[in-house]
């Protein structure tokens, strides 16, 4: 990242003098897009951040909500997009490591991870990236001992040069065990703990704040190298040291390393931090002050201890075999002062670094970028709907991702009640009667066609997924992945998406507690689809979760929400249009948020009453694909849909606000639907070994459940094998 002329002038004004070369480097990284959010911060203020469950909103390492009984959960989502393109294994692995540190920095023990992944079409170099990213996530999470319980994986051409690796983590602790990154206590020692500092990751934050060019693959030194076993030791040592009562503040060394952790702790606490780099543990010789300050070596933390109690902290870290050394102290002048070899290399007000970066209101008052036509082409009526369904369940976006999630340990710690393959993951909180449900969702195609409506649909689908397991959404985190904000048509995408998220999160009562913004996701001037990813958590009483697949034959199938097929323009955003027709047009499906919320309320009541034997939301692929996903090799369904002018659109439209439930007590579900003013009704019955869909006059689809299963389960492994 290169400072602009105006930014350089502002630095001179803040310092009252010309900065030293080291200070320039410090400002470059702290004022980078990745660290300062200078293009998005004024718009992020539009997001709702308060709610009855929220204890800590944006501004700390992770958001925190109360779940009852004195317990809280901390959660957040972060991206490691650019590093994962350059070095997929380490980029993804250290993305997991970084978000885990954000959680236990707050005093919470991580108990779950989810990932949202985007790649180019599964062929050639995209498969190399896919393999590396999945292996990196599995390696770090499995070795650390945290379950990877859910996620999503999408393939689009626009991600070929800019894969997205967004990782969500959640942890738990008691409310009186929370820690914050606010330095205090003049004279208190500043202590460095964890791994030694090396040259890996230097300029990592700056790299994540720029477009990719032909030379980007040469930036491997900018990618950090992780050690999950050391991070596990660091976790246990930090949590044990926190219990001594000797720690005043703690912050992980993430993006911008020692620079960000020290200046941000000082700024939050309104104090100064004085550091002597000669005392910093180093694994390489001859490192300059610039290199040490900007290194993003992993598995490191910075903490402030109570003066006179340092020995308690040192004893804990010695027990765990980790470095722990005093490298500075808290001062009363509000400045970050860096000494090296007896010389002051930098002396900068902490607020100048952490809070006074430029905040740009970049031009955005034009239409968001898109080239897809609005008008629908002539949509051919399918000659073989059964073949279309088989093609869709085997499409890269919709096929089983078992090959991916079987590499993850999703059961470690024995809290997982619903894991990969479920609409929402469910984790029990030991020692309470509460469980936490989690869902990740984002749809780049929808947001490309209409960023505001696409973002609202992502929030709605997350909340709908939670409803299928009976959970009430209570809070959210978001990862905003966009292209170059200096282009007004891209900035317009970002602003529209943020405002859409704000509107939907307000409506569904899921305030944003924190998140991440990843911009400049462009390669050679070609940007990704605007891709906001939402992670929403919900609460429910601990019980056996409702599965998404049919549990036997002879059960009634009830559609909550009605059989809406949408317009031809809406059909252009569907998986059918992408996979079968090979085109993109129109607008995303229309969302009525009031109606969507009533569907959620009705579904939660159905689940709470024990009436649902299975529940699965309708989303990508529409009714036919959802029915296929509900099937098992043993159990299928016989379904009747209303006759329509277009059977293709009726079966594969992705209209929202719909959930499929199987039950032996349909009358009670219909009564609940009526009270909530939710349309729909009984559309069929489960049966053995076939999926049949008719419209009363014609048999539209007739496929064996074993054929559906084989196609869905084998599609991704076959693609991977074909291009090895």
């Amino acid at each position: 990242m290169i400072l602009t002329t105006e930014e350089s002038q502002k630095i001179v004004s803040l310092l009252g003098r010309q900065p030293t070369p080291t200070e320039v480097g410090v400002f470059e990284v702290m004022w980078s897009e990745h660290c300062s959010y200078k293009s998005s911060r004024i718009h992020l203020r539009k997001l709702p951040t308060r709610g009855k469950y929220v204890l800590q909103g944006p501004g700390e390492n992770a958001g925190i909500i109360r779940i009852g009984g004195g317990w809280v959960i901390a959660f957040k989502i972060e991206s490691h997009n650019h590093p994962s393109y350059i070095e997929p294994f380490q980029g993804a692995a250290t993305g997991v490591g970084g978000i885990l540190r954000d959680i236990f920095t707050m005093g919470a023990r991580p108990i779950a991870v989810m990932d949202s992944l985007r790649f180019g079409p599964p062929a050639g170099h995209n498969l190399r990236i896919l393999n590396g990213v999945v292996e990196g996530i599995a390696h770090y999470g499995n070795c650390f001992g945290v379950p990877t319980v859910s996620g999503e994986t999408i393939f689009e051409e626009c991600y070929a040069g800019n894969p997205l690796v967004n990782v969500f983590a959640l942890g738990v602790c008691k409310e009186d065990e929370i820690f914050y990154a606010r330095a205090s206590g003049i004279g208190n020692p500043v202590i460095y703990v964890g791994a030694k500092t090396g040259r890996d990751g230097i300029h990592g934050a700056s790299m994540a704040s720029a477009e990719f060019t032909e030379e980007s693959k040469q930036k491997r030194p900018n990618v950090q190298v992780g050690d999950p076993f050391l991070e596990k030791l660091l976790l246990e040592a930090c949590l044990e040291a926190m219990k001594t009562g000797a720690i005043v503040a703690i912050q992980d060394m993430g993006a911008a390393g020692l620079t960000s952790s020290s200046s941000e702790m000082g700024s939050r606490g309104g104090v100064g931090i004085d550091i002597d780099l000669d005392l910093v543990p180093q694994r390489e010789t001859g490192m300059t002050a610039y290199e040490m300050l900007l290194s993003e070596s992993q598995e490191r933390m910075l903490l402030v201890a109570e003066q006179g109690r340092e020995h308690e902290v040192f004893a804990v870290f010695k027990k765990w075999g980790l470095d722990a050394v005093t490298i500075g102290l808290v001062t009363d002048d509000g400045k970050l002062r860096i000494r090296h070899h007896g010389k002051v290399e930098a002396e900068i007000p902490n607020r100048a670094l952490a809070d006074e970066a430029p905040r740009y209101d970049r031009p955005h008052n034009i239409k968001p970028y898109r080239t897809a036509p609005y008008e629908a082409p002539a949509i051919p009526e399918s000659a073989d709907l059964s073949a279309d369904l088989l093609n869709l369940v085997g499409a890269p976006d919709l096929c089983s991702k078992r090959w991916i999630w079987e590499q993850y340990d999703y059961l470690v710690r024995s809290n997982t009640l619903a894991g990969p393959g479920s609409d929402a993951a469910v984790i029990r909180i030991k020692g309470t009667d509460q469980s936490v449900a989690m869902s990740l969702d984002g749809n780049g195609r929808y947001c490309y066609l209409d960023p505001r409506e696409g973002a609202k649909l992502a929030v709605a689908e997350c909340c709908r997924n939670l409803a299928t397991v009976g959970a009430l959404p209570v809070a959210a985190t978001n990862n905003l992945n966009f292209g170059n904000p200096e282009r007004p048509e891209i900035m317009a995408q970002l602003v529209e998406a943020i405002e859409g998220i704000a509107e939907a999160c307000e409506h569904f009562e899921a305030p944003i507690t924190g998140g991440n913004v990843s911009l400049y996701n462009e390669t050679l001037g070609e940007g990704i689809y605007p891709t906001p990813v939402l992670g929403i958590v919900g609460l429910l009483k601990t019980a056996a979760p409702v599965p998404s697949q049919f549990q036997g034959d002879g059960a009634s199938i009830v559609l909550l929400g009605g059989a809406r097929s949408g317009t031809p323009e809406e059909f252009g955003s569907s998986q059918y249009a992408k996979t079968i027709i090979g085109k993109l047009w129109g607008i995303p499906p229309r969302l009525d948020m009031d109606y969507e919320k009533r569907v959620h309320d009705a579904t939660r009541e159905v689940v709470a009453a024990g009436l649902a034997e299975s529940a699965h939301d309708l989303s990508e692929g529409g009714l036919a694909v959802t029915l296929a996903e509900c099937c098992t090799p043993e159990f299928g369904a016989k379904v009747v849909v209303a006759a329509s002018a277009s059977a293709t659109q009726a079966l594969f439209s992705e209209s929202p606000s719909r959930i499929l439930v199987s039950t032996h007590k349909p009358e009670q579900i219909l009564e609940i639907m009526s009270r909530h003013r939710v349309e729909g009704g009984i559309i069929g019955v489960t049966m053995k070994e076939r999926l049949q869909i008719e419209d009363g006059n014609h048999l539209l689809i007739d496929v064996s459940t074993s054929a559906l299963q084989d196609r869905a389960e084998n599609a991704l492994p076959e693609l991977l094998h074909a291009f090895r």
Side-chain angles (χ1 to χ4, degrees):
M1 177 252 181
I2 303 298
L3 294 166
T4 66
T5 300
E6 293 77 13
E7 288 169 346
S8 297
Q9 291 171 347
K10 182 174 182 178
I11 291 168
V12 172
S13 176
L14 287 168
L15 295 178
R17 57 175 171 78
Q18 290 293 327
T20 68
T22 298
E23 288 172 333
V24 170
V26 167
F27 272 106
E28 282 183 343
V29 71
M30 290 302 295
W31 285 13
S32 69
E33 195 71 61
H34 187 74
C35 290
S36 72
Y37 292 4
K38 58 189 176 185
S39 296
S40 59
R41 186 170 290 196
I42 64 171
H43 300 289
L44 295 175
R45 292 174 180 166
K46 302 171 185 176
L47 297 170
T49 59
R50 297 180 180 179
K52 64 180 289 189
Y53 296 91
V54 176
L55 179 60
Q56 174 63 54
E60 273 286 345
N61 289 290
I64 297 179
I65 63 170
R66 296 183 177 95
I67 63 172
W71 291 88
V72 300
I73 56 173
F75 64 97
K76 191 182 181 185
I77 191 169
E78 283 275 3
S79 64
H80 235 216
N81 302 336
H82 288 63
S84 297
Y85 176 71
I86 295 169
E87 182 52 63
F89 179 90
Q90 290 294 351
T94 53
V96 175
I99 193 66
L100 290 173
R101 288 194 302 280
D102 281 339
I103 300 305
F104 69 77
T105 295
M106 303 298 296
R109 179 178 292 276
I111 60 171
V113 165
M114 301 190 293
D115 54 63
S116 176
L117 310 177
R118 302 288 189 284
F119 305 103
H125 85 285
N126 295 320
L127 287 182
R128 178 188 68 83
I129 295 173
L130 167 64
N131 270 292
V133 165
V134 171
E135 288 175 4
I137 292 171
H139 170 72
Y140 210 101
N142 294 354
C143 294
F144 181 86
V146 62
T148 302
V149 295
S150 187
E152 57 169 7
T153 306
I154 302 296
F155 301 89
E156 296 276 7
E157 182 62 44
C158 66
Y159 303 115
N162 273 97
L164 302 184
V165 178
N166 295 177
V167 184
F168 168 105
L170 180 144
V172 62
C173 68
K174 299 300 290 286
E175 186 170 341
D176 59 4
E177 296 174 347
I178 299 170
F179 276 78
Y180 296 100
R182 300 170 192 163
S184 63
I186 308 307
N188 277 341
V190 176
I191 301 175
Y192 173 116
V193 301
K196 290 179 170 58
T197 295
R199 289 188 170 94
D200 53 317
I202 295 172
H203 286 303
S206 301
M207 175 192 68
S209 305
E211 298 178 27
F212 277 143
T213 65
E214 293 286 3
E215 292 75 37
S216 292
K217 289 186 180 180
Q218 307 305 316
K219 293 186 177 182
R220 282 186 172 83
N222 296 150
V223 179
Q224 309 92 328
V225 177
D227 182 345
F229 296 107
L230 194 151
E231 178 134 328
K232 172 64 172 174
L233 297 177
L234 186 61
L235 161 72
E236 300 298 344
C238 285
L239 294 183
E240 185 175 333
M242 289 170 175
K243 292 184 183 300
T244 67
I247 294 179
V248 175
I250 184 168
Q251 168 102 341
D252 81 298
M253 295 192 213
L258 186 57
T259 295
S260 62
S261 57
S262 55
S263 62
E264 288 173 0
M265 277 207 300
S267 180
R268 289 189 188 112
V271 296
I273 302 286
D274 195 313
I275 289 176
D276 186 346
L277 295 179
D278 295 344
L279 303 175
V280 171
Q282 301 165 50
R283 68 167 182 262
E284 299 184 44
T285 60
M287 292 187 70
T288 65
Y290 181 92
E291 290 172 326
M292 280 189 276
L293 287 171
L294 273 59
S295 167
E296 294 182 10
S297 294
Q298 296 291 283
E299 293 85 41
R300 303 179 301 158
M301 309 282 275
L302 196 67
L303 57 88
V304 175
E306 187 177 329
Q307 190 174 12
R309 300 185 65 184
E310 302 94 317
H311 63 282
E312 298 176 52
V313 176
F314 296 150
V316 171
F317 283 89
K318 181 178 180 180
K319 168 188 168 182
W320 290 97
L322 296 173
D323 280 323
V325 59
T326 298
I327 64 169
L329 52 83
V330 176
T331 66
D332 63 358
D333 62 6
K335 294 182 178 180
L336 174 64
R337 187 172 293 103
I338 304 296
R339 307 175 192 274
H340 191 222
H341 299 331
K343 176 185 174 184
V344 175
E345 289 280 349
E347 189 174 80
I348 308 170
N350 281 315
R351 286 190 56 81
L353 293 173
D355 300 298
E356 296 182 6
R359 299 184 184 184
Y360 295 125
D361 186 4
R362 297 193 185 277
H364 60 272
N365 293 321
I366 64 173
K367 288 185 177 181
Y369 176 77
R370 64 171 277 171
T371 58
Y374 282 94
E375 292 187 5
I379 304 173
E381 197 58 34
S382 173
D384 191 340
L385 291 166
S386 295
D388 289 346
L389 178 58
L390 285 169
N391 284 332
L392 280 167
V393 299
D397 290 355
L398 298 178
C399 70
S400 168
K401 304 305 189 299
R402 182 181 298 273
W403 176 86
I404 293 175
W405 58 255
E406 279 193 336
Q407 297 183 52
Y408 305 150
D409 188 339
Y410 52 90
L411 296 174
V412 63
R413 302 193 63 80
S414 69
N415 295 317
T416 307
L417 301 182
S422 306
D423 280 358
V426 181
I427 295 287
R428 63 173 176 158
I429 306 299
K430 290 178 180 175
T432 78
D433 63 351
Q434 287 278 2
S435 289
V436 176
M438 299 160 277
S439 178
L440 277 182
D441 189 72
N443 190 311
R445 284 193 325 283
Y446 289 178
C447 290
Y448 174 69
L449 296 175
D450 188 325
R452 182 183 296 265
E453 293 304 313
K456 288 159 62 175
L457 283 160
V459 175
E461 184 175 349
C462 272
C463 294
R464 195 182 322 135
N465 287 335
L466 297 177
T468 65
V469 297
L472 177 72
V474 294
T477 181
N478 60 1
N479 209 128
L480 306 177
N481 306 277
F482 289 80
N484 185 346
E486 297 169 45
R487 296 169 56 190
E489 67 275 21
I490 301 300
M491 193 66 208
Q493 292 177 335
L494 176 61
V495 174
E496 288 282 303
I498 290 173
E499 292 178 354
I501 291 170
E503 186 180 348
C505 283
E506 188 77 47
H507 191 86
F508 294 108
E509 300 175 80
I512 298 291
T513 62
N516 176 251
V517 180
S518 175
L519 304 181
Y520 295 96
N521 289 289
E522 295 198 7
T523 297
L524 302 177
E526 291 295 321
I528 62 167
Y529 284 162
T531 312
V533 173
L534 272 295
I536 302 186
V537 299
L539 301 180
L540 67 160
K541 294 296 182 181
T542 299
V546 177
S548 59
Q549 292 186 305
F550 298 138
Q551 299 300 293
D553 60 337
S556 295
I557 300 172
V558 180
L559 175 62
L560 287 81
R564 296 178 294 140
S565 59
T567 66
E569 287 73 27
E570 292 173 41
F571 198 62
S573 64
S574 68
Q575 279 286 341
Y576 190 96
K578 173 184 175 180
T579 302
I580 306 300
I581 301 176
K583 294 181 179 180
L584 176 68
W585 72 85
I587 58 176
R590 182 182 63 85
L591 174 67
D592 179 333
M593 291 196 295
D594 287 330
Y595 187 71
E596 175 85 35
K597 195 171 185 180
R598 295 204 302 274
V599 171
H600 300 175
D601 292 341
T603 303
R604 276 193 296 272
E605 186 173 338
V606 167
V607 172
L611 302 174
E613 295 167 22
S614 69
H616 190 18
D617 82 303
L618 274 70
S619 55
E620 291 190 302
L623 175 62
V625 169
T626 300
L627 282 164
E629 291 172 344
C630 289
C631 294
T632 69
E634 296 82 14
F635 304 115
K638 186 177 182 65
V639 170
V640 178
V641 298
S644 168
S646 171
T648 301
Q649 292 179 58
L651 292 177
F652 299 107
S653 160
E654 296 177 4
S655 294
S657 313
R658 299 185 292 170
I659 293 175
L660 275 182
V661 171
S662 67
T663 182
H664 277 84
K665 299 178 180 179
E667 295 80 9
Q668 295 181 46
I669 293 180
L670 294 176
E671 189 277 327
I672 291 171
M673 292 166 58
S674 177
R675 278 195 286 106
H676 288 278
R677 293 178 292 123
V678 168
E679 299 171 354
I682 300 171
I683 63 169
V685 63
T686 60
M687 67 177 184
K688 291 184 177 179
E689 298 179 347
R690 296 201 76 77
L691 173 60
Q692 296 178 336
I693 306 176
E694 59 182 68
D695 65 1
N697 301 312
H698 306 93
L699 186 61
L700 305 175
I701 289 177
D702 185 10
V703 187
S704 73
T705 53
S706 60
L708 289 170
Q709 182 86 357
D710 288 347
R711 185 71 184 120
E713 293 291 344
N714 294 327
L716 188 56
E718 287 174 359
L719 276 171
L720 292 163
H721 179 75
F723 287 96
R724 284 195 185 279

